[in-house]
Amino acid sequence: MTYVVTENCIRCKYTDCVEVCPTDCFHEGPNFLVINPEACIDCSLCGPECPADAIFADKEVPPEQSHFIELNADLAQLWPVITQTNAPLANADDWVDQTDKLQFLER
């Protein structure tokens, strides 16, 4: 099993989850984080740290967001690893609970 970053992270990009990851499996894009499923060891430390509630075990990803499983795997191959906490994006608090944010994902 692996963990997956879902839609709530888009345009927020809180990085609290990155600090607790023992395998450095997070990758950073312009306005979204992803988890590399090949590096994730299913430790479950990241989920509770996410202020946006955007991280799920792959078997618990809401059905309407199941495409994020493949999206995480694909983008992890393109984006650099992130190992330190950074400030969230400007207006992150305004975006955190918005829906239909996939259209705003910057690759």
Side-chain angles (χ1 to χ4, degrees):
M1 181 165 47
T2 185
Y3 278 74
V4 178
V5 182
T6 59
E7 185 174 46
N8 245 15
C9 183
I10 298 171
R11 282 201 160 177
C12 294
K13 203 168 81 169
Y14 296 103
T15 56
D16 307 58
C17 52
V18 171
E19 283 283 322
V20 299
C21 181
T23 62
D24 298 336
C25 67
F26 282 88
H27 293 251
E28 180 181 28
N31 68 348
F32 185 57
L33 298 175
V34 296
I35 293 174
N36 182 340
E38 294 179 19
C40 180
I41 60 170
D42 188 29
C43 69
S44 74
L45 295 173
C46 57
E49 295 299 316
C50 179
D53 294 323
I55 301 173
F56 295 88
D58 60 358
K59 294 185 180 6
E60 297 174 3
V61 171
E64 68 277 4
Q65 294 194 47
S66 63
H67 54 282
F68 279 91
I69 297 170
E70 185 176 335
L71 187 64
N72 273 242
D74 291 346
L75 294 177
Q77 301 305 311
L78 302 174
W79 291 346
V81 171
I82 177 175
T83 59
Q84 296 182 357
T85 302
N86 297 321
L89 296 177
N91 302 318
D93 291 339
D94 296 333
W95 282 96
V96 71
D97 291 320
Q98 298 296 319
T99 58
D100 299 320
K101 296 194 298 184
L102 186 56
Q103 62 186 320
F104 300 112
L105 176 63
E106 297 175 29
R107 296 175 187 243

